[in-house]
Amino acid sequence: MRILVASSSYKESLSSIQATNIITDAILQINPECEVIKKPLSDGGTNFEDIIISNINGRHVFCEAHNAIGKKIKTQYGVSSDNNTAIIEMAKTCALANIPISLRNPLNTSSFGVGEQINHAIQYGCNNIILGLGDTGTHDMGLGLLQALQFEFYDHNHNLLLPAQGAIQLTEISEISDQNIDPKIKNCHFIIACDVNTPLLGKNGSANTFAHQKGASPDMINILEKGATKFANILKKHTGKSVANIHGTGAAGGVAASMLSLLNSQIVSGIGLVIKYSDIDKILKNGIDLVITGEGKIDHQSLKGKASLEVSKLCQQYNIPVIAFCGILDDKSGEFANHFTSIKEISPKNIPLSEALKFAPQNLAKTTKETIKSYLNIL
């Protein structure tokens, strides 16, 4: 039996590479005769850079940058073999998982470090940047990123705003200047690999959908929505482009909205890129008996471009059964029965989230073994 294991990450618990390895090991313990092909997934968030680089024979480049709470860290990005393309993963510098719970405040966290990585890559010689969005603890619409690239933002009194202060500054912006940015940045092409189709504003927009999980209170969410609305209007005034309602502009705290406005950018599906570079379509065409995928939570957001759903759609084209493992299943509509042969929650019912996260490796291995035994009719 040929099995493709293509798992996404389990947020704050398992990376996609770890999850894929655990599932694979468990399968082979039950039946060593299985041929297992491993293809970890990312929709733009955690492991995005590692996965792309491993599939294009690129290499890692190391640099220093500031994380979301302003601490200088050692980080990395990927570079293609021809030195022309950089793959930058926002979660390498701005991951929510790396922000202590007591410091999770999306009004204050900044994307400045991602701009530092972009600067480093451009000075390295890269003319194309693939930027993976997802799993971030920031919500500043890329304000910090742009400040690192030497965009300047002024308040209504024409005072220059200090860099890396976070989303709290969005309501203060009245004017934008790009006079001091490096011409190389203007000539650079940015591909924004997005993990969701969420727009920037509204009840289904970025603040109302994602800010709570980044530490925002209801009052903070209102401030973030107000700030994003103000900044979107300033961007439109400055560039003539209206981007607030474009699908994907709400990902990673609105980064794509400002990049579409001010830089030579386009939004693409993050999981679409990973599937392309991983040759998953070709693998399925060549014959697979079963696909196993998974992610931390399968819910209504999964329908908006998340990795496991995109894999299931591809499997349906080839009539290949697909089993999904998840930490939490929230399927009030029964929608997911149309997408997966089976969905298995790996955590026991009614246990604290902290315990579910702690024992995720053991629970994933156990669920995999039980599922494979049942699927293969092994006693």
Side-chain angles (χ1 to χ4, degrees):
M1 171 173 275
R2 300 185 79 225
I3 301 175
L4 171 64
V5 178
S7 180
S8 191
S9 64
Y10 289 63
K11 188 170 291 186
E12 298 191 64
S13 178
L14 293 168
S15 72
S16 60
I17 294 172
Q18 290 171 323
T20 298
N21 286 337
I22 288 169
I23 294 168
T24 298
D25 291 344
I27 292 170
L28 294 175
Q29 286 178 36
I30 297 302
N31 188 345
E33 300 302 315
C34 287
E35 179 186 350
V36 182
I37 300 170
K38 298 190 293 184
K39 289 293 178 180
L41 299 178
S42 172
D43 44 24
T46 305
N47 288 141
F48 178 76
E49 180 250 339
D50 302 274
I51 292 168
I52 296 292
I53 285 299
S54 68
N55 282 287
I56 65 170
N57 296 317
R59 64 188 179 283
H60 301 295
V61 173
F62 299 91
C63 64
E64 289 189 337
H66 290 84
N67 67 8
I69 55 176
K71 180 181 178 181
K72 185 169 280 192
I73 60 171
K74 292 182 179 180
T75 185
Q76 69 183 52
Y77 59 91
V79 175
S80 60
S81 58
D82 62 3
N83 292 335
N84 195 43
T85 301
I87 299 89
I88 298 175
E89 176 188 316
M90 278 195 72
K92 293 289 187 187
T93 54
C94 297
L96 176 65
N98 293 336
I99 304 174
I101 293 176
S102 62
L103 297 179
R104 292 183 183 181
N105 182 338
L107 289 174
N108 298 332
T109 50
S110 172
S111 60
F112 188 84
V114 182
E116 292 178 303
Q117 287 183 288
I118 292 172
N119 275 327
H120 194 280
I122 289 174
Q123 297 308 315
Y124 194 82
C126 297
N127 299 310
N128 300 295
I129 308 289
I130 300 175
L131 179 63
L133 309 188
D135 299 325
T136 69
T138 58
H139 204 100
D140 67 351
M141 283 186 66
L143 177 61
L145 181 159
L146 294 167
Q147 289 170 323
L149 299 181
Q150 300 304 311
F151 282 88
E152 295 175 337
F153 300 89
Y154 297 88
D155 66 15
H156 67 282
N157 292 318
H158 200 67
N159 295 313
L160 179 65
L161 298 180
L162 295 174
Q165 302 302 300
I168 194 68
Q169 290 184 328
L170 293 177
T171 56
E172 302 176 40
I173 299 171
S174 291
E175 185 182 345
I176 303 170
S177 172
D178 61 0
Q179 295 302 306
N180 293 321
I181 70 170
D182 189 330
K184 293 178 182 177
I185 293 171
K186 291 185 177 181
N187 294 326
C188 190
H189 178 237
F190 294 86
I191 295 175
I192 305 168
C194 189
D195 65 338
V196 292
N197 294 325
T198 307
L200 178 66
L201 302 174
K203 67 177 183 178
N204 297 316
S206 187
N208 286 299
T209 303
F210 301 118
H212 174 72
Q213 69 191 39
K214 299 180 182 183
S217 66
D219 287 342
M220 289 180 188
I221 290 172
N222 290 333
I223 295 171
L224 291 167
E225 182 74 5
K226 181 179 177 182
T229 302
K230 171 75 181 294
F231 191 35
N233 288 333
I234 296 298
L235 288 169
K236 183 177 179 180
K237 179 180 176 182
H238 181 77
T239 66
K241 300 176 184 177
S242 180
V243 297
N245 294 316
I246 294 176
H247 289 319
T249 52
V255 168
S258 60
M259 292 188 69
L260 282 179
S261 296
L262 298 172
L263 297 167
N264 178 21
S265 305
Q266 67 179 112
I267 295 178
V268 302
S269 162
I271 183 58
L273 272 184
V274 169
I275 287 173
K276 173 186 173 182
Y277 284 117
S278 299
D279 286 329
I280 289 178
D281 189 69
K282 185 185 294 184
I283 291 168
L284 295 177
K285 283 182 180 178
N286 287 338
I288 289 291
D289 299 302
L290 173 66
V291 172
I292 297 180
T293 187
E295 61 182 285
K297 187 175 185 179
I298 294 179
D299 61 5
H300 67 283
Q301 290 184 25
S302 301
L303 297 170
K304 300 178 181 179
K306 289 292 188 179
S308 60
L309 263 291
E310 295 306 304
V311 168
S312 76
K313 291 176 185 177
L314 197 56
C315 291
Q316 287 176 342
Q317 293 180 25
Y318 300 103
N319 296 314
I320 298 171
V322 54
I323 296 173
F325 297 139
C326 63
I328 299 173
L329 172 63
D330 184 2
D331 186 17
K332 296 180 177 66
S333 65
E335 172 73 19
F336 297 108
N338 298 323
H339 294 278
F340 299 102
T341 306
S342 177
I343 304 176
K344 305 286 186 180
E345 287 184 295
I346 67 170
S347 300
K349 296 290 187 183
N350 302 318
I351 65 169
L353 177 60
S354 59
E355 189 173 338
L357 295 175
K358 180 179 179 180
F359 292 103
Q362 296 92 321
N363 290 333
L364 179 57
K366 181 174 182 289
T367 304
T368 301
K369 291 176 183 177
E370 292 172 349
T371 302
I372 292 299
K373 280 183 178 180
S374 175
Y375 192 84
L376 299 178
N377 294 315
I378 297 174
L379 296 178

